[in-house]
Amino acid sequence: MDKYKETFETWDKLAGLYQEKFMHLDLYDDTYDLFCNELEPHAALLEIGCGPGNIAAYLLKKMPELKIDANDISPNMIGLAQLNNPSAHCYVMDSRDISQIEKKFDGIVAGFCIPYLSVPDTRQLVKDCNNLLNENGVLYISFVEGNPGDSGYKAGSTGDRTYFYYHEWKVLEEMMKKDNFEILHLIHKSYKRNDGSEELHSIAIAKKPKHSD
Ligand SMILES: C[S@@+](CC[C@H](N)C(=O)[O-])C[C@H]1O[C@@H](n2cnc3c(N)ncnc32)[C@H](O)[C@@H]1O
């Protein structure tokens, strides 16, 4: 089966379990705070790969006037995201299609979406985000640091698989700089997996400067 198709089906199946485990995780809250520091109270945000809307819920609790459009490939995730964030506009979309969006945004959040995108698709996503941002717009993007050669299928406790892509900061940084993003923050978090092993999670926050075209 196509790698992406299996990944999408797994996410759709595991939406409820993901919500149970991650809806109230506070590990990344300080990184959301750094992102919020760059936003005006009424900013228009796009969230890509929003899952059950856990990040949107945190952002809206802190800044209730934000106007959030949130998308995800999984209809079940979108159902949960909409329930968890009645004021947001949540809809199904593949992150590879965001260039079709006709609005501009002051901020874009992509929380652990690129672990499910290949390097070329990630490069396109960064480019598309640049086009969708207003001047001074801010991009939040998180990923799992690792050797891209170790990318492959991963199965969780249910046995369902996703194709998981490790990304290297130096490659992502080069993509962002090529699109004239100014890197504001790079934060690392140590994440303990169920099996006791630790992963390095990285969060980059970058700004699209004025007149970057
Ligand atoms: C690890 S979850 C992240 C959820 C949330 N953003 C967070 O940080 O907790 C990954 C999400 O990305 C979505 N996803 C994976 N590939 C996608 C794609 N090509 N387009 C849109 N969403 C995708 C999955 O459906 C899932 O909801």
Side-chain angles (χ1 to χ4, degrees), residues 137-157:
V138 190
L139 174 63
Y140 175 110
I141 192 160
S142 51
F143 58 103
V144 180
E145 291 261 9
N147 176 358
D150 293 336
S151 300
Y153 284 105
K154 277 194 180 190
S157 53

Side-chain angles (χ1 to χ4, degrees), residues 8 11 18 49 51 54-55 72-73 77 93-95 111-112 116:
F8 299 164
W11 278 117
Y18 189 86
N54 44 319
I55 301 180
D72 196 285
I73 192 69
M77 289 289 195
M93 182 179 258
D94 189 326
S95 64
F112 296 106
Y116 305 96

Side-chain angles (χ1 to χ4, degrees), residues 151-170:
S151 300
Y153 284 105
K154 277 194 180 190
S157 53
T158 60
D160 299 290
R161 303 192 308 172
T162 57
Y163 195 92
F164 192 90
Y165 292 91
Y166 290 97
H167 289 276
E168 290 174 300
W169 169 240
K170 66 173 188 327

